[in-house]
Amino acid sequence: MDAVLQTRGLLSLPTKPKNSVFHPSHGLKHRFFNSKPKNFGGVSLSTNIFQKVNTFVPSKSNHVFSLKERNLFICRAEAAASADGQPLFDEKEIEKPKILGIEVTTLKKIIPLGLMFFCILFNYTILRDTKDVLVVTAKGSSAEIIPFLKTWVNLPMAIGFMLLYTKLSNALSKQALFYSVILPFIAFFGAFGFVLYPLSSHIHPEALADKLLNILGPRFLGPLAILRIWSFCLFYVMAELWGSVVVSVLFWGFANQITTVDEAKRFYPLFGLGANVALVFSGRTVKYFSNMRQHLGPGVDGWAISLKAMMSIVVGMGLAICFLYWWVNNYVPLPTRSKKKKAKPKMGTMESLKFLVSSRYIRDLATLVVAYGISINLVEVTWKSKLKAQFPSPNEYSSFMGDFSTATGIVTFIMMLLSQFIFDKYGWGVAAKITPSVLLLTGVGFFSLILFGGPVAPIIAKFGMTPLLAAVYVGALQNIFSKSAKYSLFDPCKEMAYIPLDEDTKVKGKAAIDVVCNPLGKSGGALIQQFMILTFGSLANSTPYLGGILLVIVLAWLAAAKSLDTQFTELRQEEEIEKEMERAASLKIPVLAEKNNEGGNGSPESVSPLNPAAGGSSSTNI
């Protein structure tokens, strides 16, 4: 035991040691509780102390220890320290400055990221509500334009952006790429509010659209409306791309670049809470500017004034995002990444499809993504058609959407707080099944009210509502609870499902789902609705069939979630076993270092300086 105690005394070695530094009288208490301890600045024993030891090695005549013996001495000192369970250095000397228990360097990253996320989601809510108002309430258009718009305009532009972004990422730096992508969005939304919308009556080919509609018939109202209000459709697509590009690609790509895994586990859920706070504030903002029409004189286009005010806010928030991005890159120390992890496979559509088919785990995960996209689209478009019938004015429609966004933010905030309890209490599987269950139950109520609104009209009238208004409110509740479940449970479940995968499968699987499943989920429901509209004449006539399709898709969704839960649990168990094995293997490192320092033939020619007579092993004295 004396040898171990003397080893710990390495911390108090004098600048010019003599042979007496290893004298037994200098025990552990003397080393650690000396009134004037020598301070080495908190250096790591296993990395930097060897250089310190070299500076006070005695002359060859003293023969205290040689190069090999010094390595052996340090290795045993570290092993003895870990075995004793006590730190070799004062932890306060190496502790980083903290505020409220959080390191200052971490706060300098997390606070700007949170503000960026707030600004991005604030803009997204304004843009999402405005795009629906523009295309649904425009003259000669209706909610039936949305399926055609998502398929024939939104999807091609999304693919085009993906190709352009890939080329730009190879040619530009990360910062230049960020600005090159976000600044055109900011410029477009500003130009739309102040230039394109005021000139819409002059640049829209309404006469040509009317002529084609008379020739083709009312079934082609949706496709022809894209031509009739092309600038509004362009705004719709740019607003959609803001959600997928700025949120998913730019923000989360930047956040994953500058945060560590531990920071992400701790603070990413808080971003979700901040996003819902943004929903509440932006919803109030939309409602405020939408009600400006009440205070304007006759003949004034209140919607044009509201649009200018909201687009001004969007531009201001966009510039704030750019400033925060610039500040973080210039004033925050960012973590270094392994170069090997930066290489990402570039998968085309066919490669993505092949990878999806080859992996059951990724296939089930893809089913979740596609099923959500189709299900929410089937219900949402039908609801918006009823919403236009109830609120035909753009200002009334926009005001209702402001209330809708505020309610969505509040409910999602509450669900976010409950989600942690759900994950801890019931696990991943239950959390993954809540979203489809909510969507199924609320969807059944919505479609039932549309189909059987006549028989229940007297009952609804007792509450002061018409069947149409009741359908609008029930559809709003359906969308609120579905979206809140999606934000608080579905998205975290989807991202967590990637964690236990190996690096190759994780990167390729996410790439495959981003390339194939996200567009398929968004456009799949639109394609189904297009087929129904062209076959049965309108969305109203297609309602019973859309309800049946929704039931089939949600049941497939639940089956995929159950299958994925089993595989996810197995992978987590394997990951835990591997971690335990790595911990066990790490305990052998000091022993391996000792063997390497003894020489290739294992001969005991290196004698321990602590006990020269023991043949090089300090364990003989214990």
PDB file of all heavy atoms in Angstrom, residues 455-464:
ATOM      1  N   PRO A 455     -79.184  15.165 -40.391  1.00  0.00           N
ATOM      2  CA  PRO A 455     -79.961  14.607 -39.274  1.00  0.00           C
ATOM      3  C   PRO A 455     -79.660  15.245 -37.916  1.00  0.00           C
ATOM      4  O   PRO A 455     -80.539  15.306 -37.065  1.00  0.00           O
ATOM      5  CB  PRO A 455     -79.549  13.129 -39.282  1.00  0.00           C
ATOM      6  CG  PRO A 455     -79.126  12.864 -40.680  1.00  0.00           C
ATOM      7  CD  PRO A 455     -78.484  14.126 -41.143  1.00  0.00           C
ATOM      8  N   VAL A 456     -78.414  15.708 -37.716  1.00  0.00           N
ATOM      9  CA  VAL A 456     -78.066  16.277 -36.402  1.00  0.00           C
ATOM     10  C   VAL A 456     -78.207  17.789 -36.376  1.00  0.00           C
ATOM     11  O   VAL A 456     -77.868  18.413 -35.370  1.00  0.00           O
ATOM     12  CB  VAL A 456     -76.614  15.874 -36.012  1.00  0.00           C
ATOM     13  CG1 VAL A 456     -76.474  14.365 -35.891  1.00  0.00           C
ATOM     14  CG2 VAL A 456     -75.607  16.438 -37.013  1.00  0.00           C
ATOM     15  N   ALA A 457     -78.713  18.397 -37.468  1.00  0.00           N
ATOM     16  CA  ALA A 457     -78.847  19.853 -37.531  1.00  0.00           C
ATOM     17  C   ALA A 457     -79.713  20.418 -36.405  1.00  0.00           C
ATOM     18  O   ALA A 457     -79.353  21.449 -35.812  1.00  0.00           O
ATOM     19  CB  ALA A 457     -79.393  20.276 -38.892  1.00  0.00           C
ATOM     20  N   PRO A 458     -80.864  19.788 -36.049  1.00  0.00           N
ATOM     21  CA  PRO A 458     -81.653  20.353 -34.931  1.00  0.00           C
ATOM     22  C   PRO A 458     -80.890  20.363 -33.603  1.00  0.00           C
ATOM     23  O   PRO A 458     -81.034  21.299 -32.817  1.00  0.00           O
ATOM     24  CB  PRO A 458     -82.871  19.417 -34.859  1.00  0.00           C
ATOM     25  CG  PRO A 458     -82.979  18.833 -36.230  1.00  0.00           C
ATOM     26  CD  PRO A 458     -81.569  18.685 -36.706  1.00  0.00           C
ATOM     27  N   ILE A 459     -80.089  19.327 -33.374  1.00  0.00           N
ATOM     28  CA  ILE A 459     -79.323  19.287 -32.125  1.00  0.00           C
ATOM     29  C   ILE A 459     -78.257  20.365 -32.125  1.00  0.00           C
ATOM     30  O   ILE A 459     -78.036  21.063 -31.115  1.00  0.00           O
ATOM     31  CB  ILE A 459     -78.685  17.890 -31.941  1.00  0.00           C
ATOM     32  CG1 ILE A 459     -79.776  16.812 -31.906  1.00  0.00           C
ATOM     33  CG2 ILE A 459     -77.855  17.842 -30.671  1.00  0.00           C
ATOM     34  CD1 ILE A 459     -79.226  15.403 -31.855  1.00  0.00           C
ATOM     35  N   ILE A 460     -77.604  20.550 -33.258  1.00  0.00           N
ATOM     36  CA  ILE A 460     -76.549  21.573 -33.356  1.00  0.00           C
ATOM     37  C   ILE A 460     -77.139  22.967 -33.223  1.00  0.00           C
ATOM     38  O   ILE A 460     -76.522  23.868 -32.645  1.00  0.00           O
ATOM     39  CB  ILE A 460     -75.802  21.410 -34.694  1.00  0.00           C
ATOM     40  CG1 ILE A 460     -75.081  20.062 -34.748  1.00  0.00           C
ATOM     41  CG2 ILE A 460     -74.801  22.543 -34.886  1.00  0.00           C
ATOM     42  CD1 ILE A 460     -74.424  19.781 -36.075  1.00  0.00           C
ATOM     43  N   ALA A 461     -78.350  23.160 -33.739  1.00  0.00           N
ATOM     44  CA  ALA A 461     -78.984  24.480 -33.667  1.00  0.00           C
ATOM     45  C   ALA A 461     -79.223  24.921 -32.231  1.00  0.00           C
ATOM     46  O   ALA A 461     -79.242  26.126 -31.939  1.00  0.00           O
ATOM     47  CB  ALA A 461     -80.298  24.465 -34.441  1.00  0.00           C
ATOM     48  N   LYS A 462     -79.405  23.982 -31.306  1.00  0.00           N
ATOM     49  CA  LYS A 462     -79.601  24.322 -29.902  1.00  0.00           C
ATOM     50  C   LYS A 462     -78.369  25.013 -29.312  1.00  0.00           C
ATOM     51  O   LYS A 462     -78.469  25.737 -28.320  1.00  0.00           O
ATOM     52  CB  LYS A 462     -79.934  23.074 -29.092  1.00  0.00           C
ATOM     53  CG  LYS A 462     -81.269  22.443 -29.469  1.00  0.00           C
ATOM     54  CD  LYS A 462     -81.542  21.205 -28.605  1.00  0.00           C
ATOM     55  CE  LYS A 462     -82.878  20.574 -28.980  1.00  0.00           C
ATOM     56  NZ  LYS A 462     -83.177  19.359 -28.173  1.00  0.00           N
ATOM     57  N   PHE A 463     -77.202  24.782 -29.911  1.00  0.00           N
ATOM     58  CA  PHE A 463     -75.964  25.417 -29.452  1.00  0.00           C
ATOM     59  C   PHE A 463     -75.654  26.695 -30.232  1.00  0.00           C
ATOM     60  O   PHE A 463     -74.566  27.266 -30.102  1.00  0.00           O
ATOM     61  CB  PHE A 463     -74.797  24.448 -29.591  1.00  0.00           C
ATOM     62  CG  PHE A 463     -74.920  23.213 -28.746  1.00  0.00           C
ATOM     63  CD1 PHE A 463     -75.472  22.046 -29.266  1.00  0.00           C
ATOM     64  CD2 PHE A 463     -74.519  23.217 -27.421  1.00  0.00           C
ATOM     65  CE1 PHE A 463     -75.585  20.901 -28.489  1.00  0.00           C
ATOM     66  CE2 PHE A 463     -74.627  22.085 -26.632  1.00  0.00           C
ATOM     67  CZ  PHE A 463     -75.167  20.915 -27.158  1.00  0.00           C
ATOM     68  N   GLY A 464     -76.603  27.118 -31.057  1.00  0.00           N
ATOM     69  CA  GLY A 464     -76.433  28.350 -31.811  1.00  0.00           C
ATOM     70  C   GLY A 464     -75.505  28.218 -32.997  1.00  0.00           C
ATOM     71  O   GLY A 464     -74.902  29.217 -33.410  1.00  0.00           O
TER      72      GLY A 464
END
